[in-house]
Amino acid sequence: MHSYRAPLQDIRFVIDHWLQAPAAWAECERFAGVDSALAQQLLEEGARFAEQQLVPLNRPGDREGCRFQDGHVSTPTGFRQAYQRYVDGGWPGLACAQAHGGQGLPLLLGAALHEVIYACNHGWAMYSGIAHGAYECLRQFGSAELRQAWLGKIVSGECLPTMCLTEPQAGSDVGLLRTQARVDEAGAYRLTGNKVFISGGEHDLTDNILHLVLARLPDAPAGSRGISLFLVPKLTEQGRLNGVHCTGIEHKMGIHASATCSLSFDQAEGWLVGEPQGGLAALFVMMNSARTYVGLQGLAHAESAGQRALAYAQARLQMRAVLRPEGALAAAADPVAFHPAVRQVLWQSRAMTEGMRAIGYWSAHLIDLAEQAQGMARQALEARIALLTPVVKAFFTEQGFQLASDALQVFGGYGYVTESGIEQTVRDSRVAMIYEGTNEIQANDLLLRKVLGDGGEALQALLAHVLEEAGLASDAEGMRWAQQLRVASDGLQAWVGGLVEHDDQEYAYRAAGDFLQALAMLLLGHAWARSARLALVHADQPFYRRKRQTAAYFFDHLWLRFAYRLQRLHAAQLPLPFVG
Amino acid sequence: MHSYRAPLQDIRFVIDHWLQAPAAWAECERFAGVDSALAQQLLEEGARFAEQQLVPLNRPGDREGCRFQDGHVSTPTGFRQAYQRYVDGGWPGLACAQAHGGQGLPLLLGAALHEVIYACNHGWAMYSGIAHGAYECLRQFGSAELRQAWLGKIVSGECLPTMCLTEPQAGSDVGLLRTQARVDEAGAYRLTGNKVFISGGEHDLTDNILHLVLARLPDAPAGSRGISLFLVPKLTEQGRLNGVHCTGIEHKMGIHASATCSLSFDQAEGWLVGEPQGGLAALFVMMNSARTYVGLQGLAHAESAGQRALAYAQARLQMRAVLRPEGALAAAADPVAFHPAVRQVLWQSRAMTEGMRAIGYWSAHLIDLAEQAQGMARQALEARIALLTPVVKAFFTEQGFQLASDALQVFGGYGYVTESGIEQTVRDSRVAMIYEGTNEIQANDLLLRKVLGDGGEALQALLAHVLEEAGLASDAEGMRWAQQLRVASDGLQAWVGGLVEHDDQEYAYRAAGDFLQALAMLLLGHAWARSARLALVHADQPFYRRKRQTAAYFFDHLWLRFAYRLQRLHAAQLPLPFVG
């Protein structure tokens, strides 16, 4: 059975050509030593680790799951050893500053590595996936003492962090949380309350776990403004057991190997991160990278599912096809890859997956650039990241699930059977549409906060960027696609203009989901226009010829979704009754 | 936690008003004694059975699954007792002729009952779901001796049948099957071969199991023309153990309670059903009702998921809504049912589910009518059934899965947790897109065989029927919707006209999936135009007012999918390269 291979050629195409990242690195002091060859070597090594260590644990981990007993959580067989190898390889510190013991490499490379890791074993990757976000949060908001005590341990992988937001009554609505932080006689913060759905809240990969916990100080105002962020280690710096207890783990549809914990905080000692009542501000620092990483989970599942569907479709013989490729031998039955319905699934999978890779990596690359930039340039980059992030999170995760289900369909009855492995991909991928802010929350964030919040300025700049690419088209096909992009950009901008003038306060909320879809399609259009243009030069090589073909499939077939979404945006003007 | 309630009011609306079935029954000799009151009483009783006996077994059955040991299969705890109650209630013979010990009631009522049963426990229903199709097949093609020996036992529920088509190398392509039937010295047929994915191939609900097996006679031509159908009982009429062995069961994504068996036939005695080499013709008799029943599984999951999403959305409080219904109290957080993104999910679920119910029941009702009709009238009815069946099978099952996933999303993190039950619905519903002919096979069957096979005649008659309903609209809204239907019907007909003139033999195959989607939307448009017109008269009653609101949601928002599909149909003209 075919198993996943890291798509290193396409990853390199995106990093080196689509983004031209090495040229940008050369201009940054921090990344001056990083070039294309180093990036490639590193990703090859990372892919080797993930393919050899994590793929073999993926299906067994799903079957075995985590065990909970007496407050302790055991991860599936082999998980701890694989984590130790990950630590030994220095992977946790890949994109962390050298000053903290990291390798100081671009986040973009961390993102590419994580795409591969998620594709190999989503459950395993849950334990370490949040570490970089926690590192950034602590680096920017932690006191000198906190940074001194813990940053190095995150970077080395000695400690794994968690993010403790959700409580039974407070999911999407963090403002409803009740966990209390009081100051004891010694002047220390003591946290008391219950958290649920905490990924990696307890496990046996590391001895210590660093919980980043949202809680309320006494007399804090109600709602989300009254929330503060605390660092609550499982074991204090002195090695004392703190008052954090795991009270159970969830039985879930998928990612069985990831321990989803209920935690009880009982007078647990905590350290304030950032300002009192400044919890959400500090947490939002984690969000751009954390949500981008969740988006990469969707991309990873799409890539992995597409690879396996293609391999199966080429091997499985059923029925004669109407047409077959030149040179294919006539047989009692053809590979199902010859049948038009299957070809459509395979092209669609490729067009969506490779398009998403360009956009997702762009997002990560912009985070690197923003960190090096100053003033207006930095603000502009941050505004663009803010726009891209909800699209990456929501659209990619939805596509990851959808394309996994499409791939399952290619397997027919075998796809529904556990043995094929593809049904696990469908189950595992589903969660990413929910956590780190549901996809509906992302859509509201995109349209209400990111687009309307600055009067449409960041969106306009993004559309201008898309049109700039359109202006570079030089061949007949590319100019046709460029024209499609121009019409779409005008249509979207006109719609936003109409929305702003509308006085129905609910209109934007009714339109948010379709707006995210429309913008995502436009961004994929941008990705494919640019990829196709770059591929023109090498159109004699199979990789680049395939890029051109995939671009054509995208614009000829998938592109129709943009117009559909724009029509739905206009229909969202109509009032929407309450459901009784 | 809310659990499923059979939607008896809507079922009655469809049967009594939308279909006006009681009036049609009154004109049929066979159903002359059946009226609306009897139908309602029967469905209430059936719903009571299903809600009380099957719902409590659904989640435990998923957790426990089936066990295989030494060739025997144990179904989950309670399954055998529930089946005995089903038998005691006379439910297996509901729509079977009184001459064979059945109740002689319309298949439509069997279909309605099965929607409810599937919604309560898909896994359990797998064992009996195929019985009616097997009954019809044997009734029409079995010899007098076979009918005498076995029909009564199917009708009483003493024996459960299976359908043994698939072999490891022969899935969608039945023509590749290798199971052999030879004649022994005594003149009996002896079958040898291996079958896989046989639902209920072995179990402990009944002592005997009747396998309907496709196999090849010696010297049969290759491909599907050389296939014959045999009845192979687990125990012969004399109670002798036949050569059928269960060699294992599959571990699957869902329907864990349904035993999906590998069967080995080793010189098993079989009896020919129908003509030698006439196996597929005999089997196709099972197909229309079997595929309609699979479509009802999609409908059932959609209804059940929608009910639970609504109940959860009304109970779960998160965030203030922009608007709230008149009279709703201001609180720290509103029911998520007030939030626009959730309202869209709930309206969409209702519009799709109720629209599908009308179309699915119509299909079942037409099967009843066709059986009573003669000559040209019967042919016309059969042609319409043939058109509707692949739409019901493919579109409903896809929607069942999609709407279940949408409902899961409403639950947020809780939806991903096993305890909520909704993730089981997502997993269970997924299989229906695959079995009884994958949805891709259905699409090819619809466009290539059912539409183009008769030069578009049956399609034209169906579209004329839709336009007839459009012509009955009398209010302003209804006339607007009628106009939308007319434009769509013209568009679809024009596209088929263009297709026929095209000389690219692959065009229809590339277009088949989108054609099925477009026709399904047109049929739902028909369903809603008719429902809305019938609801006008009672628009002061909540049930009917809601029908009007749902119709408006359908035509204002969901209807845009039709134009999208029509655009994709035109784009299917473009050549589609092979994937390398």
Side-chain angles (χ1 to χ4, degrees), chain A residues 168-169 171 173 251 253 316 318-319 343-344 347 405 409 416 418 427 430 433 506 510 576-577, chain B residues 168-169 171 173 251 253 316 318-319 343-344 347 405 409 416 418 427 430 433 506 510 576-577:
Chain A
Q169 78 294 345
D173 193 350
H251 297 277
M253 182 183 191
R316 173 75 172 169
Q318 291 285 283
M319 294 188 287
R343 267 146 67 200
Q344 283 163 333
W347 280 118
S405 174
Q409 190 73 8
Y416 199 66
T418 310
R427 287 186 290 105
R430 186 61 182 83
M433 295 167 66
E506 207 193 57
R510 294 194 302 267
L576 181 69
Chain B
Q169 78 294 345
D173 193 350
H251 296 276
M253 181 182 191
R316 173 75 171 169
Q318 291 287 281
M319 293 188 287
R343 266 146 68 199
Q344 282 164 334
W347 280 117
S405 174
Q409 191 73 8
Y416 199 65
T418 309
R427 288 186 289 105
R430 186 61 183 81
M433 295 167 66
E506 207 192 57
R510 294 194 301 269
L576 180 69

Side-chain angles (χ1 to χ4, degrees), chain A residues 18-43:
Chain A
W18 203 95
L19 292 172
Q20 303 184 351
W25 296 332
E27 286 173 27
C28 296
E29 203 186 327
R30 185 173 151 195
F31 304 136
V34 190
D35 62 7
S36 168
L38 176 65
Q40 205 192 329
Q41 189 197 335
L42 181 114
L43 290 174

Side-chain angles (χ1 to χ4, degrees), chain A residues 278-465:
Chain A
L280 283 191
L283 207 73
F284 270 115
V285 165
M286 296 180 70
M287 282 293 173
N288 278 334
S289 84
R291 290 182 171 175
T292 303
Y293 269 46
V294 172
L296 294 175
Q297 294 168 1
L299 168 61
H301 286 301
E303 170 70 38
S304 161
Q307 282 191 21
R308 285 176 288 154
L310 176 60
Y312 185 83
Q314 287 172 332
R316 173 75 172 169
L317 309 176
Q318 291 285 283
M319 294 188 287
R320 306 295 309 271
V322 182
L323 302 178
R324 48 186 74 72
E326 234 175 294
L329 296 174
D334 288 311
V336 297
F338 292 180
H339 296 301
V342 174
R343 267 146 67 200
Q344 283 163 333
V345 170
L346 298 174
W347 280 118
Q348 172 170 317
S349 165
R350 186 172 284 169
M352 298 308 278
T353 303
E354 295 180 8
M356 290 194 295
R357 182 169 296 118
I359 301 302
Y361 285 23
W362 188 26
S363 228
H365 183 52
L366 291 174
I367 296 176
D368 283 327
L369 297 185
E371 200 163 285
Q372 305 293 311
Q374 306 292 334
M376 297 275 283
R378 182 175 184 135
Q379 271 178 32
L381 285 165
E382 283 175 346
R384 178 151 306 165
I385 295 163
L387 261 185
L388 293 179
T389 301
V391 176
V392 169
K393 195 285 176 180
F395 188 78
F396 287 24
T397 58
E398 186 204 284
Q399 287 297 315
F401 175 67
Q402 185 60 57
L403 295 172
S405 174
D406 291 350
L408 186 153
Q409 190 73 8
V410 170
F411 282 76
Y414 290 101
Y416 199 66
V417 169
T418 310
E419 201 183 348
S420 71
I422 193 78
E423 64 88 28
Q424 186 190 344
T425 303
V426 176
R427 287 186 290 105
D428 285 356
S429 64
R430 186 61 182 83
V431 73
M433 295 167 66
I434 300 170
Y435 59 25
E436 287 290 344
T438 66
N439 286 2
E440 291 69 26
I441 296 279
Q442 304 298 325
N444 286 349
D445 178 55
L446 173 67
L447 183 54
L448 277 292
R449 203 175 303 159
K450 308 298 176 58
V451 171
L452 300 181
D454 73 355
E457 204 179 305
L459 176 69
Q460 203 152 0
L462 180 65
L463 296 180
H465 185 81

Side-chain angles (χ1 to χ4, degrees), chain A residues 462-499:
Chain A
L462 180 65
L463 296 180
H465 185 81
V466 171
L467 296 183
E468 209 175 289
E469 174 58 47
L472 298 174
S474 58
D475 63 310
E477 240 182 343
M479 284 163 73
R480 182 158 50 80
W481 301 335
Q483 187 53 25
Q484 290 177 233
L485 287 179
R486 282 187 202 100
V487 171
S489 171
D490 290 353
L492 200 61
Q493 200 143 12
W495 178 81
V496 172
L499 172 68

Side-chain angles (χ1 to χ4, degrees), chain B residues 50-131:
Chain B
E51 290 171 7
Q52 292 178 358
Q53 304 298 324
L54 304 182
V55 167
L57 301 178
N58 189 43
R59 281 188 50 212
D62 178 63
R63 272 201 303 275
E64 188 180 340
C66 292
R67 271 158 307 154
F68 172 77
Q69 201 168 19
D70 303 330
H72 297 286
V73 171
S74 314
T75 57
T77 309
F79 269 45
R80 189 178 160 95
Q81 293 87 321
Y83 181 71
Q84 199 49 54
R85 290 212 177 82
Y86 181 73
V87 168
D88 293 345
W91 299 110
L94 182 82
C96 301
Q98 288 174 331
H100 304 122
Q103 299 185 48
L105 293 167
L107 181 73
L108 171 58
L109 297 182
L113 175 68
H114 270 82
E115 183 205 318
V116 174
I117 288 178
Y118 287 129
C120 291
N121 197 326
H122 185 167
W124 182 90
M126 290 297 293
Y127 295 97
S128 58
I130 216 176

